[in-house]
Amino acid sequence: MATRITTMIFLVLASSLTTMGQERLSCGTTPPTRAQKAMLEQQFTLEKSLLSRIANRNVTEIAIVAHIIRRDNGTGGITESELNEALDNVNAFYSNANLSFFYITFNYIDETQYFDFITSDEGEMRSKYNYDGMMNVYFANSVGDGEGGFFCGYAYFPGGPDVILMDNGCTMNGSTYPHEIGHFFSLYHTHGTTNNGT
């Protein structure tokens, strides 16, 4: 992404995002590194001055590549209609920050290997399917760690890959999709810096 709006989003959306807890599975996003925290602190002063001008800004549109993972035979997977409905919800959350997301394309991945996604497959999948310079969101039947742990989704803080992984069922729950996009833009969990609270 050319620019990432970080702390500004947190300050503008804090009140609307505080109700966004994971409904059935945890978030798999790892806490930010020391370097990522330092970057956020450096950006805070600049972005604080932008808050007073946010109401006068034009809406920033952000393209998403939606990677719909299906079985080898093309069955399964979330529908474009469901994704559009979920994106309407995302846009409602981020409208106060003058952000609007849209799908630039729907990329169908017909590989059973990724259908019930395991985090250890991410690097291989990313190298095959990621679009450079875009927010790549992968929608899988499930998202797990291969050791019995399952997540509604996960994302990376700035400095990590431009990737979000979503469990199809959680994509439609009204909270997880905007939550993971928040991580992509440097938002912590609304309940603290880790999955286990503050």
Side-chain angles (χ1 to χ4, degrees), residues 95-189:
S95 63
N96 290 335
N98 293 340
L99 295 176
S100 178
F101 300 87
F102 67 97
Y103 295 120
I104 194 163
T105 191
F106 293 99
N107 178 39
Y108 289 91
I109 300 173
D110 293 342
E111 290 196 45
T112 301
Q113 172 185 349
Y114 304 132
F115 185 68
D116 286 304
F117 185 79
I118 302 299
T119 55
S120 60
D121 286 337
E122 183 197 316
E124 176 185 297
M125 185 178 71
R126 233 184 21 225
S127 68
K128 288 165 115 176
Y129 297 109
N130 253 30
Y131 284 54
D132 291 337
M134 297 286 193
M135 181 186 294
N136 291 273
V137 184
Y138 292 85
F139 299 92
N141 187 57
S142 64
V143 179
D145 62 9
E147 299 175 9
F150 290 91
F151 313 109
C152 267
Y154 69 87
Y156 292 92
F157 289 97
D162 292 336
V163 168
I164 296 173
L165 261 295
M166 290 296 306
D167 175 298
N168 290 340
C170 294
T171 299
M172 302 301 296
N173 71 10
S175 64
T176 303
Y177 196 10
H179 176 105
E180 298 307 334
I181 287 175
H183 290 319
F184 185 88
F185 287 104
S186 302
L187 286 176
Y188 286 117
H189 297 283

